[in-house]
Amino acid sequence: MKRIGVLTGGGDAPGLNAVIRAVVKTAYGEYGSEVLGIKDGFDGLLDQHGVEPLSPESVRGILPRGGTILGAANRGNPFARKVIRNGGEAIVDVSDVVVERIHELELDTLIVVGGDGTLRITQELFEKGCPVVGIPKTIDNDVGGTDVTFGFDTALNIATEAIDRLHTTAEAHHRVMVLELMGRDAGFIALHAGLAGGADVILIPEIPFRFDRICEKVTERADAGRHFSIVAAAEGAYPVGGQQVFARAGDEITTARLGGICQVVGNHVAEDTGTETRVTVLGHLQRGGSPSAFDRWLATRYGAAAVRLAAEHKYGRMVSLRSTSMTDVSLKEALAKPKRVNLEGDAVLTARGLGICLGD
Ligand code: F6P
């Protein structure tokens, strides 16, 4: 294995730099291979200046840093790229250019770190004959084929801290605090942080909610002398018979941006219960900053394991954590079904057992 490339695609997640560092150190130290860093996701393969050599020296000190030293791009799909042609916008497939560039750079393997969108592109490149290996990244934890993606634990810690902070001010002012958390169509952040922070109501996309159930919970608590409540809601949650709320519509290139459901919930609760209600949208704070110890540990193991897969020529595969073991799975299998909260699983049963309202 002479040379491998590494790129970070899609939105960032805490732990990307830890992965890059582990890839570089393992490739150099264990296999004597060179590493090329591809900048800004797949875009770096379309730009003559989009590639930089990475050495153990150049990754020194990046383990605890958030973001990615390589840059990321969540509009960089080479199979559907927006260009200006004849004065108008056009969507073109430039994947052949990417394939050519991988060969031109003489990459024995391209390691792609990404969520489901980026990994889907990776699978398509594999189908075009490219030697690729995937690493699952996202705060949403919604990639199939693995128990957990790196980035999730850090987001969870930030979300839990936010709930803790909302608790004290909610209690002081006898208010209902509604916290909107990320996660796209998966409720892992809201459910796990809600449990960890002791939320009274948790709303997730996997369980469409009823406004009256939320209000009942708030009233029940007030009747018992607890004149404050915490609602932790996933941005993708929606009411029975209703729809998700979007802050911005999507198009052929950009995915629609979720946002706003908590304001709707907050307005309902305030009107129906007469309780003063405030809404907090935690947003990108969940993605920024230093990764947790767990994410550093997981990202480092993923990076090293991806290089081992590359050395074994196990292309078209993704590293995966199953229980406590590092293993791998085909990208195709990992992407066959997005991971969602298991409604029969322990987390949901635990929440119900604790009397937390899940909106149903
Ligand atoms: O997939 C990660 C994520 O942070 C989602 O939880 C969220 O819906 C989305 O990305 C936000 O994307 P952007 O950074 O484009 O606003």
Side-chain angles (χ1 to χ4, degrees), residues 8-263:
T8 54
D12 68 338
L16 283 168
N17 284 323
V19 169
I20 296 166
R21 172 180 174 271
V23 165
V24 171
K25 289 184 77 117
T26 309
Y28 271 81
E30 190 81 17
Y31 299 98
S33 310
E34 286 175 36
V35 181
L36 294 183
I38 316 294
K39 295 185 205 165
D40 302 328
F42 292 101
D43 285 3
L45 292 168
L46 298 166
D47 176 353
Q48 282 309 314
H49 306 289
V51 175
E52 62 174 295
L54 294 175
S55 66
E57 189 61 38
S58 60
V59 296
R60 183 159 300 152
I62 68 170
L63 176 64
R65 270 168 58 186
T68 159
I69 58 164
L70 293 175
N74 54 5
R75 277 185 288 270
N77 182 356
F79 291 88
R81 213 178 147 76
K82 198 179 267 184
V83 294
I84 303 297
R85 209 170 253 181
N86 304 328
E89 280 181 354
I91 307 294
V92 293
D93 178 349
V94 292
S95 58
D96 285 339
V97 182
V98 165
V99 176
E100 258 171 53
R101 185 76 173 132
I102 290 172
H103 294 314
E104 193 181 289
L105 291 169
E106 295 181 13
L107 299 182
D108 294 307
T109 307
L110 175 63
I111 295 179
V112 180
V113 194
D116 58 350
T118 302
L119 293 174
R120 219 166 279 286
I121 297 167
T122 311
Q123 166 65 15
E124 286 182 59
L125 288 174
F126 175 63
E127 285 164 15
K128 287 189 135 207
C130 295
V132 289
V133 165
I135 299 181
K137 158 241 71 166
T138 168
I139 64 163
D140 305 338
N141 198 30
D142 61 352
V143 177
T146 184
D147 288 352
V148 63
T149 55
F150 76 85
F152 173 61
D153 183 70
T154 308
L156 193 54
N157 281 307
I158 294 164
T160 303
E161 193 199 337
I163 295 176
D164 286 348
R165 288 177 184 275
L166 288 175
H167 254 116
T168 57
T169 175
E171 190 167 11
H173 285 272
H174 313 302
R175 284 173 172 163
V176 174
M177 293 294 191
V178 187
L179 176 64
E180 185 164 308
L181 296 164
M182 282 187 166
R184 215 163 282 204
D185 295 320
F188 293 104
I189 299 177
L191 179 59
H192 291 221
L195 277 166
D200 306 296
V201 178
I202 300 175
L203 306 177
I204 58 174
E206 292 86 347
I207 305 177
F209 64 83
R210 283 175 46 182
F211 290 106
D212 58 337
R213 290 283 188 245
I214 304 168
C215 297
E216 272 166 32
K217 180 69 182 177
V218 169
T219 308
E220 177 195 306
R221 281 178 53 79
D223 290 347
R226 290 187 293 279
H227 297 280
F228 69 96
S229 290
I230 304 290
V231 180
E235 61 183 358
Y238 60 96
V240 174
Q243 285 174 346
Q244 289 179 320
V245 178
F246 290 91
R248 197 197 54 205
D251 56 27
E252 311 97 304
I253 300 293
T254 328
T255 32
R257 182 148 35 92
L258 286 159
I261 187 60
C262 283
Q263 195 57 58

